[in-house]
Amino acid sequence: MRFWLHEIPLSSQSLSVRVAEELHKAVIILEDSGVESAAVNAQWLMAHVLGCNRPELGFRQGSTLTAEQKSQWNQLVAERARRIPLQHLIGSVEFCGFELVVNKHVLVPRPETEILAEEACKFAKMRESPVILDIGTGSGCLAIAIAAQSPKGAVHALDISQEALKLAQGNANRNGLSERIIFHETDMREGCPIEEALDLIVSNPPYIPTAEIDTLQEEVREHDPRLALDGGEDGLDYYHSLTMNYLRHLKPQGRLMLEVGDGQAQKVSDLIIKYGGCVLDILSDLNNVERIVVASPGNS
Ligand code: GLN
């Protein structure tokens, strides 16, 4: 028999509520609401309520929830069933080993962006005192991962959203990197705010074609900021600006590293070539989608 949480008979609500049973009920609710990986989602939420790690849940299956925990749990499961992203509910996400706070003002960092971060860190580590720019920093994930790996680097991060920058600054602070990253509130399309020549530019710009946004998963469509998703009619709006206005700010041996949407790698490469750049590599993600384009400003 299936119960919605608010339909559970009072008699059983007043009994001790055991973790294992609550998890079991939540999985059914989340599955019925179309949440992918319902069991894993329920476990993350329960670990959040109990203040433990997900692996530790195995030892807590027989524990009971206090009334306060039970009410928090009910609310979290109901919110997740309304397709509010898991990361918004637990408040943070891990990116390249850093814990980052996320909210509705920023894109939830994705695993594919870690590929960009790793490639960027590899390059930054080889330079003496690199000057680095992260365009459209959002939660600050790329700037933070790169700054940590490049102790002598100067990292700049820009975003048009004041709310995103506030969050990114908090994330840098939380990870002991606030002195290492300079944040700029600016529209990237208005040109590069940094005067000096750059060693590395990274960006995960909005790249979803406008008409496709309505076809995305509800969590993304309704809760990631449209500002961070919408790349215009063909999804390529920001790549025009990134290639036309930013390639020339790189030092001759510098690098431009861009995350791109499914099927965009070739078109973005064409733009890079059009503006005099040279495509050095295209990296695929775990789903074998060409995801990261690595370029230099000339024929270096
Ligand atoms: N990777 C995100 C998604 O596919 C989109 C991010 C972006 O537009 N940069 O949902």
Side-chain angles (χ1 to χ4, degrees), residues 34 68 77 93 123 145 157 205 286 295:
E68 200 184 320
V77 173
V93 60
F123 180 76
L286 293 174

Side-chain angles (χ1 to χ4, degrees), residues 116-263:
L116 172 53
E118 277 161 30
E119 193 64 16
C121 288
K122 255 196 280 174
F123 180 76
K125 271 189 195 167
M126 292 183 326
R127 313 285 280 196
E128 190 57 33
S129 306
V131 186
I132 299 157
L133 173 62
D134 172 19
I135 299 178
T137 196
S139 64
C141 60
L142 284 168
I144 287 168
I146 299 167
Q149 292 289 325
S150 176
K152 288 196 182 154
V155 181
H156 297 265
L158 69 83
D159 208 289
I160 194 173
S161 157
Q162 198 179 29
E163 298 293 345
L165 284 170
K166 224 162 72 186
L167 194 83
Q169 255 157 345
N171 279 329
N173 204 10
R174 199 165 288 109
N175 287 288
L177 291 162
S178 58
E179 315 242 297
R180 301 280 327 289
I181 305 172
I182 302 157
F183 292 96
H184 305 260
E185 185 185 339
T186 175
D187 182 344
M188 59 85 77
R189 291 165 296 194
E190 281 169 10
C192 184
I194 319 297
E195 301 256 307
E196 58 191 314
L198 301 165
D199 291 270
L200 174 63
I201 298 175
V202 295
S203 186
N204 172 20
Y207 56 61
I208 307 288
T210 308
E212 274 178 33
I213 293 180
D214 283 344
T215 69
L216 300 175
Q217 237 186 7
E218 197 171 331
E219 286 85 345
V220 178
R221 189 177 78 219
E222 301 296 332
H223 300 283
D224 271 328
R226 192 165 262 258
L227 194 61
L229 294 173
D230 192 345
E233 195 176 339
D234 59 1
L236 299 174
D237 278 10
Y238 290 86
Y239 299 107
H240 284 276
S241 186
L242 282 163
T243 50
M244 187 168 67
N245 299 328
Y246 286 85
L247 261 178
R248 60 193 157 87
H249 284 274
L250 285 168
K251 292 178 186 170
Q253 304 292 324
R255 294 288 182 271
L256 173 68
M257 299 188 186
L258 303 174
E259 180 171 326
V260 300
D262 199 346

